[in-house]
Amino acid sequence: MSDVDIELGHRKLAWARQHMPIHARLRERFSAQPPLQGLTVAVCSHLEAKTGVFIETLAAAGAEVVFTGSEPGSTQDDVVAALNEQPGITGFARRGADEGEFRCYHMSVLDRGPQFILDDAAELTARMAGDRPELLASLVGTCEQTTTGVRRLQAMLKDGVMDFPSYAVNDSPMKRYFDNVHGTGESTLANIAVATNLLFAGQQVVVAGYGYCGRGLAEKARGWNAQVTVTEVEPRRALEAHMNGFRVASMAEAAAYGDIFITATGNPEVIRREHFERMKDGVVLANAGHFNVEIDAAGLADMAESLEECRPGLLAHRMPDGRRLNLLAEGRLANLAAPTAMGHPAEVMDQTFATQLMAAVHLVAHRDALTPGVHAVPDAVDREVAAIKLDTLGIALDRLTQRQEAFADAWRLADIQA
Ligand code: NAI
């Protein structure tokens, strides 16, 4: 750690802080009455400056914070070092840690006996349940911010090992409508553009999946003047894409004419051999969905005669017939694993992490009323985060009048007409 530039870590945190106004409001609010006082809270996430501001705010809420990475490739050592200089915060992580070291860091966090976990893909929660099950007895709860994590928790519940409540922050409107749509959309396109140094305008962009992420990707690619095709497996989503003005096609059709392919489905092998066989020379393949599984990278490598890193993070697969198919970041998340990647923009993470934080505070306050299992974040919590954000933007809201409120609650015709 000796050559780590701690000063740079502090500057990165300062920049993120400037663009995370909800967290600033929460730090102010918590200074009077810290709601997490006396609790050891573990954070497992991508460790960079925005997560750092989240960690600082948890400490301001009174928690003793221990943190570790959810993915060794995304850890920024300077930010980790800058956080470790702050009172009430202890982190265990190093960029590029191998599997054994990565596990040791997680175990060091668990050794502190966290009573609450703010998790990514349920990594730390699953490790606690698997390796240190005796700690589950003092676990008050968890908050989970990924689709994968929510699924894992549900699997844990089914297997009878989930004896604590968890809020599915991933499923809350404040996460999905902004993080998945705008965060994934903007950061993925930005990284493809920088990694390839190619134009979007006029290109045939194929987006696989028209869920929250897919909608953002498709809309933003259209905003960059690309011609966008959507592929889907769900008829209503396909129809929605069609009525929103996108071309809808099967991957088999789109493979033949696409220039840039972006997957966001959560499913494996969405683009595979039968599609690679039909693709044009020079296509770009990027994934914005689940880990590294949506593009069959192994199948592609197997079909290739030779591989060449044509630009950092971009691997050209030369086919026996001379076509080059360019895979970005080994098919890992383009907005997190590409060489230029910095994850989602700060404003989006301000909202996502604030929802995590407010959900954690709510869960701790209502721990006795919650049954073990995965729960939706209470609507009031989600709305409050939105209201704080609007307030920081100086955007005013109208309020329902008494008559409007009464109208909404009425069912008798006489009352409705009154
Ligand atoms: P979602 O469930 O709203 O959308 C997924 C869509 O893909 C659905 O409409 C589904 O019908 C469709 N789909 C499934 N299999 C398909 C196939 N073989 N071909 C075409 N379409 C298919 O999920 P959401 O929120 O859009 O997330 C998608 C993935 O992106 C998840 O794995 C999630 O974890 C990941 N994600 C990635 C982020 C990032 O930073 N890159 C941020 C947020 C989510």
Side-chain angles (χ1 to χ4, degrees):
M1 293 288 275
S2 56
D3 56 351
V4 172
D5 186 347
I6 299 184
E7 202 38 52
L8 181 61
H10 282 294
R11 284 207 302 279
K12 287 180 178 176
L13 285 168
W15 173 259
R17 238 179 262 130
Q18 261 181 65
H19 299 281
M20 297 178 71
I22 311 175
H23 279 70
R25 288 285 173 90
L26 293 178
R27 281 194 298 276
E28 249 173 64
R29 182 188 290 194
F30 297 152
S31 63
Q33 215 176 0
L36 301 178
Q37 194 79 52
L39 279 183
T40 299
V41 172
V43 174
C44 179
S45 191
H46 298 283
L47 295 175
E48 43 74 60
K50 290 154 289 181
T51 314
V53 175
F54 171 51
I55 287 169
E56 289 175 348
T57 312
L58 280 164
E64 186 66 37
V65 189
V66 274
F67 70 86
T68 187
S70 57
E71 220 256 80
S74 60
T75 295
Q76 295 186 14
D77 293 336
D78 46 12
V79 172
V80 171
L83 286 167
N84 269 325
E85 286 196 334
Q86 302 187 37
I89 297 175
T90 313
F92 302 93
R94 191 182 66 80
R95 189 182 191 87
D98 63 24
E99 219 174 295
E101 188 184 349
F102 185 64
R103 181 177 180 278
C104 279
Y105 291 143
H106 283 197
M107 296 311 279
S108 301
V109 164
L110 294 180
D111 282 345
R112 302 287 174 118
Q115 292 132 313
F116 202 95
I117 299 178
L118 291 143
D119 218 350
D120 186 298
E123 281 278 329
L124 197 63
T125 311
R127 212 180 282 279
M128 184 187 267
D131 294 354
R132 300 288 304 273
E134 75 283 4
L135 295 176
L136 289 172
S138 44
L139 189 66
V140 171
T142 77
C143 284
E144 174 55 49
Q145 68 174 27
T146 68
T147 311
T148 311
V150 171
R151 280 200 211 126
R152 281 187 183 166
L153 289 170
Q154 274 152 350
M156 284 171 74
L157 186 68
K158 211 168 130 212
D159 279 355
V161 290
M162 188 179 178
D163 196 21
F164 54 87
S166 179
Y167 276 149
V169 173
N170 176 69
D171 300 345
S172 68
M174 279 304 285
K175 202 264 174 182
R176 286 210 148 151
Y177 297 173
F178 303 97
D179 185 302
N180 297 29
V181 177
H182 298 285
T184 308
E186 284 198 21
S187 60
T188 301
L189 294 198
N191 278 293
I192 295 173
V194 173
T196 61
N197 193 23
L198 295 174
L199 194 68
F200 268 74
Q203 302 269 31
Q204 294 285 350
V205 171
V206 179
V207 175
Y210 197 65
Y212 290 94
C213 294
R215 282 185 203 120
L217 288 160
E219 281 297 346
K220 284 165 200 292
R222 175 155 69 184
W224 285 16
N225 300 333
Q227 309 210 19
V228 182
T229 296
V230 166
T231 73
E232 251 298 342
V233 292
E234 212 284 329
R236 289 158 300 184
R237 294 268 170 101
L239 191 57
E240 193 188 347
H242 168 72
M243 293 218 184
N244 283 341
F246 296 107
R247 182 170 174 181
V248 179
S250 67
M251 185 56 80
E253 283 173 83
Y257 62 81
D259 298 305
I260 300 173
F261 294 81
I262 312 172
T263 51
T265 71
N267 264 332
E269 295 178 9
V270 173
I271 304 184
R272 48 188 184 267
R273 282 171 189 259
E274 68 203 73
H275 305 126
F276 301 139
E277 273 161 12
R278 310 193 63 180
M279 287 179 180
K280 299 189 297 189
D281 178 31
V283 298
V284 172
L285 303 166
N287 172 35
H290 185 55
F291 289 134
N292 60 347
V293 300
E294 300 213 11
I295 301 169
D296 178 11
L300 181 61
D302 200 40
M303 286 168 74
E305 207 172 60
S306 64
L307 304 177
E308 184 201 345
E309 192 174 38
C310 44
R311 288 177 58 81
L314 195 64
L315 200 59
H317 292 66
R318 190 178 281 277
M319 298 291 133
D321 60 10
R323 290 174 304 135
R324 285 151 303 180
L325 312 190
N326 301 299
L327 180 65
L328 182 59
E330 302 165 2
R332 295 175 190 281
L333 300 185
N335 62 334
L336 284 163
T340 48
M342 286 176 288
H344 287 1
E347 299 92 327
V348 163
M349 291 318 293
D350 189 25
Q351 297 184 184
T352 302
F353 283 141
T355 311
Q356 285 263 56
L357 217 157
M358 297 289 281
V361 167
H362 188 277
L363 194 157
V364 168
H366 297 83
R367 62 175 108 176
D368 296 335
L370 286 163
T371 52
V374 183
H375 299 268
V377 173
D379 199 48
V381 171
D382 206 56
R383 284 168 77 104
E384 193 181 357
V385 178
I388 299 173
K389 174 68 181 188
L390 283 173
D391 196 45
T392 67
L393 293 168
I395 296 174
L397 273 183
D398 277 338
R399 280 183 192 283
L400 291 176
T401 62
Q402 270 184 354
R403 169 143 164 68
Q404 288 164 348
E405 271 179 13
F407 182 81
D409 288 341
W411 66 270
R412 287 188 182 84
L413 290 179
D415 291 343
I416 292 166
Q417 285 151 9

